[in-house]
Amino acid sequence: MAVNPPKIKVLLSDNDRLKKLKQAFIGKYEESPLFYACAPGRVNLIGEHIDYCGYAVLPMAIEQNILAAVSVNKSHIIQLANTDPKYKDFTVSVREITIDPKNPQWHYYFLCGVKGVQEQLSLSSLAGIRCVVDGTIPASSGLSSSSALVCCAGLVMMEANQKSVSKVMLAETCTKCERYIGTEGGGMDQSISFLAEEGTAKLIEFNPLRSTDVKLPDGAVFVIANSCVEMNKAATSHFNIRVVECRIATKILAKFRGLEWRSLQKLGELQTQLGSSLDKMLDLVEEVLHPEPYSKEEICKILGITAQQLCDSILSANTQHEIHFRLYQRARHVYSEAARVLQFKAVCDSAPADALLQLGELMNQSHTSCRDLYECSCRELDQLVDICRKAGAVGSRLTGAGWGGCAVSMVPTERRDSFLQRVKERYYMPDARREALVKQSLFVTKPGGGAAILTSE
Ligand code: GLA
């Protein structure tokens, strides 16, 4: 059954943030907002860089979100403002929306959502809106602030145009349209933003998109710690290089097994076609791929294609100049990480006496694999993860795209306060910049709810 995002009635007098946002809106546009929309950020507990390979991931929504106040008019003009003065006002006609992937500014994420809904619903024209956005998710920190903004914008446009779209369809639309900004994300962030429910993490599976509750074990809390190294995945090519390396690995493995490799794009699709277990896929990687990096020439030779064909049909716009591709390491990470997600869920479901230790171990293995095989960590994140483990976490790992951003740790409840104190002392206090950010950088989190429309009474 298709479920639409909920519409929740809220009492403005009970909610300081909404009250302030309403004031900011009135100050800006001299009218009251008609409705509000919110979409949360997320923390991924396990399953990193495998969603775009077709594999299930296990995130939960966090309490921090993007909140937008909106009024609707007939002007066909979108007027955007942000409560953070760092993000400048922007106005555009709905007929003239352009998104420049070379210059990922904040309003482009909003426009991705606008464009997505316009295309999904084949709307020849869209209502005009005035909107003020207020965000509490730290930007470029691996907690999905950009996808939350895309999702919030999608929801705003749906409501402003009085359309009714299911959460699954909105999640798929927002996944697709965020690619206008240039990164080839896999859908985890948008899916959890719409499908999250308070109190439960989710196993998110793709093709078709669906989610299953995962009850996290009693006796532990999840703590997010920001390394304070910013990573904007749209501003670099790290992310897309990984997507492309996985794609090339898929094709080489498929060709080796005599499959029609040209149409295969994802390591997960390859597994489905071969009907093999994840262990067997790891064996195949060992048998076929070598640990040394592949050059473009070698890839072309193996696949029997020209350099031009490689550039046109396999590489993406911002990976054309890449010269080395580590296929063995990336494929090994993906198949072993996909297995860890299933094990994590199985441990949560069966809740054995040593559940915390088992889950912690899986998180630690995931970090090692991200660091050594996928090479998406960085020195500060490795140091932070190490500090978190020594401070009492049973498991700690980078979360999100990596190359900076946050670590997530599982900490036995009774060690929570001493853990927070130690991490603060060892990672944040020795550095003035980090120390200044510690309040919004180190916090306990629990599974939050998904995107919603809010109307005030
Ligand atoms: C980003 C992408 C997601 C996912 C993660 C890594 O957040 O948007 O789709 O690939 O990185 O797990």
Side-chain angles (χ1 to χ4, degrees), residues 25 29 31 34-35 68-81 90-92 94 110-111 114 126-133 152-153 156-161:
F25 190 97
Y29 302 122
E31 61 173 351
L34 180 64
F35 68 89
V70 189
S71 70
V72 183
N73 57 56
K74 297 198 168 72
S75 69
H76 305 297
I77 288 183
I78 302 210
Q79 274 179 276
L80 296 177
F90 186 78
T91 299
V92 67
V94 296
F110 196 99
L111 296 181
V114 174
L126 290 171
I129 59 161
R130 285 172 157 173
C131 179
V132 179
V133 171
C152 187
V156 162
M157 291 321 281
M158 180 198 87
E159 182 67 10
N161 290 279

Side-chain angles (χ1 to χ4, degrees), residues 234-288:
T236 72
S237 54
H238 299 322
F239 190 89
N240 282 0
I241 292 171
R242 296 294 176 275
V243 176
V244 158
E245 285 172 320
C246 291
R247 190 179 297 153
I248 298 171
T250 304
K251 291 180 186 291
I252 291 183
L253 294 171
K255 183 156 190 226
F256 181 85
R257 291 296 301 266
L259 299 178
E260 180 24 80
W261 58 270
R262 280 172 206 273
S263 58
L264 281 176
Q265 302 283 355
K266 298 181 184 172
L267 288 163
E269 293 168 357
L270 173 65
Q271 188 199 357
T272 309
Q273 282 226 1
L274 291 174
S276 301
S277 66
L278 285 166
D279 278 343
K280 285 267 168 303
M281 295 311 291
L282 282 164
D283 292 344
L284 182 65
V285 171
E286 292 295 334
E287 183 187 349
V288 180

Side-chain angles (χ1 to χ4, degrees), residues 138-141 224-229 384 404-407 427-428 440-442:
S140 302
S141 68
I224 293 177
N226 194 341
S227 68
C228 304
V229 176
L384 177 57
C406 291
Y427 190 77
Y428 295 93
Q440 69 262 38
S441 298
L442 180 67

Side-chain angles (χ1 to χ4, degrees), residues 42 44 47-53 57 142-144 146-147 175 178-179 183-190 206 233 239 243 333 374 376 397-403:
R42 59 102 189 93
N44 189 21
E48 222 60 84
H49 286 280
I50 60 172
D51 57 349
Y52 51 79
C53 296
V57 292
L143 299 177
S144 212
S146 39
S147 299
T175 299
E178 193 172 329
R179 300 202 182 114
T183 39
E184 301 193 46
M188 159 168 67
D189 312 343
Q190 302 82 358
F206 302 94
K233 65 182 183 298
F239 190 89
V243 176
H333 166 78
Y374 221 67
C376 61
R397 56 180 296 278
L398 69 83
T399 183
W403 295 286

Side-chain angles (χ1 to χ4, degrees), residues 109-130:
Y109 291 95
F110 196 99
L111 296 181
C112 281
V114 174
K115 224 173 137 168
V117 165
Q118 183 170 29
E119 288 169 358
Q120 175 66 42
L121 299 175
S122 311
L123 296 173
S124 53
S125 190
L126 290 171
I129 59 161
R130 285 172 157 173

